[in-house]
Amino acid sequence: MTNDTNYRGKANAVFFAAIMVVSMFAAGFAAAPVAAVDDVNGVSLTPNQADEDTTQEHNLQFTATNVNTSATHTANITLPDGATFASSGNSGVNVGASTITANGSDVTGSATFSNTNSGQSLEIGVDTSGASDGDVVFDVNVSVDFPANVDGDASESIDITFNDDDDATSQSTTASVTISDTDNSGTSVAYENNAGATPSIFYQGQDVTATQLTPDTEYVLRSVDEFDGDDVSSSTFEGEYDADSNGEIEIDTSSLESGDYYLSGDGVDAVRDNTFELTVQDLSVEWEEDSYDTGEEAAEINVDSQRNTYNLNVSADGLDYDELNALFNDAEGPVNGVAPGENSDDDELILRGYRDDTIVANFSNTDISADDYEFDFEVYDTEASDSAPVTIEEEDVSASFADGVTTAAAGDVVNVSVELEDSDSAFVSVGGDGVGFFDVVYVEDDDDDDEVTFQINTRTVGTNASADAYYSADDIVETDAANEGASFEDSNGNPLENASEFRKNSDGLDQNELARPAQAGEYDLIVSQGAFSANDDNELVVEDELDISTLDLVEPTVDGVATHVAPSDNTDEADDAAALLEEVTQSENIALDDRLVIQVQADGIEGYVAQQSGANLDSLNEGVDGQYLGDLINDNSDEGVNFEVESSSATANQDPGTLNFDETTVYFADGQFFVVADTSDSDTFENTVSDGDSYDVTYEYVTDDNDRYTFNDDEPPAWNVNENPDSFAYYASGTDTVSAETSFTLEEREASFDNENADDMVEVGVSEEASITGTTNVAPGTDISVRLRSASGVSPQFILTDSDAEIAEDGTFEATLDTTEGEVDNEATLRFRVSSTNIEEIDAILVEQVDDGSDGDDGSDGDDGSDGDDGSDGDDGSDGSDGSDGSDGSDGSDGSDGSDGSDGSDGSDGSDGSDGSGSEDGTPGFGALVALVALIAAALLATRRNE
């Protein structure tokens, strides 16, 4: 093909060169005067076609427009490579009598062949000095030699340029001629695959279509034995083929070996460009593992080949097309427009093949039986194939509950955890034939920790809110178990639609709708693969049971109510109940502006608040708006839950003030909850509060004497509708009211300083670490500061502040100041501050040393503590002089221990610490017993009851 192309190029080039010479000799002028040539147009070549290996005369015409005639000009004609004029001299150019005219007048012209390019270029000089400015018209004849062995018909161009020598401008154009390949030599054959592409390599078995052949002509397929450069020097006969009416031949390569092939015949040269390369495709297919179980979701098949992209027919004995399609549902489909089910009638699935990659099979997506299988993989369009055996075993699925017994109060939200092995999903049933309730949920491990943890709202199961009764933060839980694959059959083997129909059907469990919220009792929790049926006695039968546990719902209780105080802040400031517990201090005296925290040790209402607020168990622990608790305790709810926080200091003419629960935040922990109120908010209480207001707190569950809580007749029943009088859902009618009470008092914030002398001034020692102590009813943990500021007459002035002072749990505080800026007898003002507000302000005086002994004179008060007489245990009489230190309130408590010998009386001075207390428990500003603190803390930190 390369040689044929060269011949064709030469012939075309020769012809074009000749034509261009003729064009240069014919010229004429129009009348209009101009300054320079504008264009070369009006090109005509007659004839514009020539056969290969001929000499032919052609007439060439063209016009150079608006030429200045005051000089001699030139026209250049250039032929492509290989084209030559019929003569290397002027004899090849026939210039007639009037072949070149300028504005209608004959002009002189001469033709000169260029010595370059073997006669391919011609220059014609034109003398227009005897004519007027205008168009120069060329009309000349020229003979051109065309070469032999042109490869296919080809169109070539002749370049024509007119040069205006007057101003050195030029214009160009082209003329075209077609050279015909009369012997069809040099045919360029194209080889295509089924997709119409022309790949560089074909694979054995592919259909190869040869195109651009002579229609209805016989050709011979030959294999190349040897090349000599680009020419085939030796070949072997392979077979005969006939081109169809479109000049195409389809070659069957299934029996051909690897090598180069070409078609020999009319017009086809035995050259490399007319060959195609054929190779045998390698294919290796192997399962990553020798065996898998029926629950495997990502079994990998390793595929190797030297071919990048192709399609594979996949089949296996014992599996039909639908099963294969389900098995390889996650695999990539075929390429090049091939449909996966093209061979479905043969139970073959078509997938994409790879050079080096994997195909994924999902056995859990099919009902494939445990057995040995051989999967056959055949390349869609070649002869390559391979087989991959694999063993499928029954899935060894196991599941177990994290707890054998999970205990919670009826009406609360409970956590359930199921550990899974060899599966990421299961079905969990709740209840059965013995408790009058049954439900099933589908659970799935979504965070890949081999465990599913979910919550059950025991208040809403079996009601119209049952879809909300189950929740998981990290995994999947679905209430429509039948939609997830669970099956239900009655005692006769008839399928039932879902768990609800199975529960109520007379041949199923034969249960009615719940009469009231799920009551206290033991409910079976069974994890299985989801096949449920009933026997003739309406008893539950669970196929493939994996584990069983017990959900032990107990009767709710009310164990106590207590009040606490926390530093001033928003009611929802704590992140969760645990964080709240770190901030509270038990107290029945609440300083205004601090947070009031009411702890209720009671259960059974968690599920109600969860459903009402749309919160899950985690959200309940993180705090929900108090309005949802308010909905429960509202007089119109008929839920039998009363929660009253009422003022006990109301007048006869006014209703008692109450706590506005809508302004609170409620935190739930196991078996208890905390109501947080902001006493600085004017909307927190329904009345105006003031110093000394007392409130009674009562929390109780009540019942009706005759009727107990009963749902309406809806199917399923409404979760929060009681058809009977106000009564607690989990108590029988006539049950005594269960309640707990406490009280608290609201107080203005206050503080007092120790070491106040007879002049009502606090004595402060001059020291680098002067200690200033006192007591306050402000909540422990509150950010406070103690400031000492010199009086106006003191020089130099000083302002000293300790912003790191802290309030202890017993209400005491201590600040440390460097008072060496002042001098003894300097007077000052001492302030106790919360944020920027002064809570207490008192005069102070700097002294050389704080005279704690002055309080020791109150020793007689110390006699109240007979414990001081224990001093008889020590005869260290002289050490008793330390008793003067004991008169520091808090230090004084050491007195009882330090009644060494006869000096024990000084120790009793120390019991002045008790003088500093306004209550019997010795904790300033609080009325609760210190001994209860540990018990309350333990209650606050209680965890869920699990056995």
Side-chain angles (χ1 to χ4, degrees), residues 409-710:
D412 278 353
V413 181
V414 61
N415 265 322
V416 176
S417 293
V418 180
E419 298 169 354
L420 301 172
E421 184 175 349
D422 285 338
S423 178
D424 63 357
S425 63
F427 294 90
V428 176
S429 61
V430 183
D433 50 83
V435 290
F437 172 76
F438 176 77
D439 200 5
V440 180
V441 292
Y442 167 83
V443 296
E444 181 178 331
D445 176 20
D446 197 40
D447 57 0
D448 297 327
D449 63 351
D450 298 325
E451 183 179 64
V452 175
T453 298
F454 65 100
Q455 299 169 5
I456 304 175
N457 186 338
T458 64
R459 172 58 196 250
T460 58
V461 292
T463 71
N464 64 344
S466 60
D468 301 326
Y470 304 90
Y471 167 82
S472 178
D474 300 316
D475 298 305
I476 296 171
V477 56
E478 299 289 348
T479 56
D480 188 354
N483 190 55
E484 301 298 332
S487 63
F488 303 92
E489 291 184 355
D490 65 16
S491 57
N492 299 314
N494 299 316
L496 298 172
E497 185 175 349
N498 51 42
S500 177
E501 184 179 347
F502 175 71
R503 175 170 57 84
K504 294 184 291 184
N505 190 280
S506 59
D507 291 324
L509 298 183
D510 195 21
Q511 297 175 355
N512 296 321
E513 296 285 359
L514 289 178
R516 56 191 56 85
Q519 297 294 294
E522 294 185 354
Y523 295 77
D524 285 343
L525 296 176
I526 300 176
V527 57
S528 70
Q529 295 184 352
F532 303 93
S533 61
N535 62 22
D536 293 337
D537 295 325
N538 302 115
E539 295 173 335
L540 176 66
V541 178
V542 181
E543 300 292 338
D544 299 320
E545 178 182 306
L546 301 175
D547 195 21
I548 185 170
S549 175
T550 299
L551 174 59
D552 184 14
L553 296 184
V554 299
E555 190 174 82
T557 61
V558 177
D559 295 328
V561 180
T563 58
H564 307 262
V565 65
S568 177
D569 216 323
N570 296 327
T571 60
D572 59 355
E573 177 62 23
D575 292 336
D576 51 33
L580 177 66
L581 298 184
E582 294 178 358
E583 300 179 359
V584 302
T585 302
Q586 188 276 332
S587 178
E588 294 179 357
N589 298 313
I590 313 299
L592 290 168
D593 291 343
D594 287 340
R595 281 176 291 169
L596 162 68
V597 180
I598 304 175
Q599 174 196 8
V600 181
Q601 292 177 281
D603 44 28
I605 68 166
E606 197 172 63
Y608 185 102
V609 176
Q611 180 62 28
Q612 193 73 5
S613 63
N616 56 62
L617 188 59
D618 295 333
S619 299
L620 290 176
N621 184 256
E622 294 166 1
V624 295
D625 197 301
Q627 65 172 316
Y628 303 114
L629 176 62
D631 294 339
L632 171 66
I633 62 177
N634 187 290
D635 290 340
N636 297 322
S637 72
D638 293 331
E639 290 292 330
V641 180
N642 296 329
F643 193 2
E644 297 178 350
V645 181
E646 292 185 346
S647 172
S648 58
S649 52
T651 66
N653 295 321
Q654 298 291 325
D655 289 332
T658 58
L659 176 66
N660 182 1
F661 283 93
D662 288 354
E663 300 297 322
T664 67
T665 298
V666 182
Y667 293 83
F668 283 84
D670 190 65
Q672 58 190 335
F673 62 92
F674 304 88
V675 179
V676 183
D678 179 7
T679 63
S680 68
D681 187 342
S682 60
D683 294 329
T684 297
F685 294 93
E686 299 292 353
N687 59 308
T688 302
V689 297
S690 58
D691 182 32
D693 286 351
S694 295
Y695 285 79
D696 292 328
V697 180
T698 302
Y699 184 83
E700 59 185 11
Y701 295 150
V702 300
T703 62
D704 184 73
D705 289 339
N706 301 311
D707 298 311
R708 67 178 305 178
Y709 192 107
T710 302

Side-chain angles (χ1 to χ4, degrees), residues 34-295:
V34 293
V37 62
D38 281 348
D39 193 11
V40 177
N41 56 33
V43 178
S44 171
L45 178 66
T46 306
N48 62 356
Q49 180 272 335
D51 293 339
E52 64 178 346
D53 196 22
T54 62
T55 299
Q56 184 166 292
E57 183 177 281
H58 299 263
N59 176 254
L60 176 64
Q61 299 179 16
F62 65 91
T63 300
T65 62
N66 297 332
V67 177
N68 189 323
T69 60
S70 62
T72 299
H73 312 286
T74 58
N76 294 94
I77 301 173
T78 303
L79 301 177
D81 291 345
T84 60
F85 294 106
S87 172
S88 61
N90 289 345
S91 62
V93 179
N94 180 13
V95 180
S98 300
T99 56
I100 304 176
T101 61
N103 197 17
S105 300
D106 294 342
V107 296
T108 302
S110 60
T112 304
F113 288 99
S114 169
N115 292 327
T116 62
N117 299 324
S118 302
Q120 289 177 275
S121 296
L122 178 68
E123 181 179 288
I124 303 175
V126 181
D127 183 1
T128 61
S129 58
S132 302
D133 293 345
D135 296 342
V136 178
V137 179
F138 290 81
D139 182 358
V140 296
N141 297 323
V142 65
S143 295
V144 177
D145 289 336
F146 295 96
N149 298 324
V150 175
D151 293 341
D153 296 348
S155 178
E156 302 290 346
S157 296
I158 301 172
D159 295 331
I160 305 170
T161 302
F162 185 87
N163 301 296
D164 190 333
D165 292 350
D166 182 59
D167 59 359
T169 60
S170 64
Q171 296 292 337
S172 299
T173 189
T174 61
S176 297
V177 64
T178 298
I179 304 174
S180 299
D181 182 3
T182 57
D183 62 2
N184 291 321
S185 65
T187 297
S188 178
V189 182
Y191 298 98
E192 300 178 354
N193 59 21
N194 289 338
T198 56
S200 58
I201 296 177
F202 290 89
Y203 292 92
Q204 183 190 60
Q206 285 185 307
D207 290 331
V208 178
T209 300
T211 65
Q212 303 177 181
L213 300 171
T214 303
D216 302 318
T217 302
E218 182 179 281
Y219 290 86
V220 173
L221 178 68
R222 305 187 68 86
S223 59
V224 177
D225 297 328
E226 187 177 355
F227 284 103
D228 181 7
D230 286 333
D231 295 328
V232 176
S233 59
S234 177
S235 64
T236 300
F237 172 83
E238 297 291 345
E240 295 179 338
Y241 292 86
D242 291 327
D244 61 17
S245 60
N246 295 318
E248 296 182 351
I249 292 176
E250 185 174 295
I251 303 170
D252 180 8
T253 66
S254 60
S255 61
L256 300 179
E257 302 295 332
S258 295
D260 295 302
Y261 295 84
Y262 74 100
L263 288 170
S264 174
D266 183 38
V268 180
D269 294 329
V271 294
R272 190 183 300 272
D273 284 348
N274 278 338
T275 67
F276 67 90
E277 182 179 354
L278 183 71
T279 190
V280 175
Q281 181 178 354
D282 294 330
L283 179 67
S284 174
V285 180
E286 185 178 16
W287 291 91
E288 181 70 20
E289 305 288 343
D290 294 334
S291 63
Y292 298 93
D293 62 45
T294 55

Side-chain angles (χ1 to χ4, degrees), residues 850-872:
V850 176
D851 187 7
D852 296 334
S854 62
D855 292 331
D857 294 337
D858 297 333
S860 59
D861 296 335
D863 294 339
D864 293 341
S866 60
D867 293 345
D869 295 337
D870 292 341
S872 60

Side-chain angles (χ1 to χ4, degrees), residues 299-344:
E300 293 186 347
I301 305 170
N302 298 316
V303 180
D304 291 296
S305 178
Q306 80 273 47
R307 187 177 177 187
N308 275 333
T309 304
Y310 53 95
N311 293 321
L312 285 170
N313 292 328
V314 184
S315 62
D317 288 340
L319 298 181
D320 60 22
Y321 172 78
D322 290 335
E323 289 171 320
L324 289 169
N325 191 39
L327 177 63
F328 293 103
N329 185 60
D330 298 328
E332 187 174 355
V335 295
N336 298 327
V338 176
E342 183 176 297
N343 298 332
S344 59

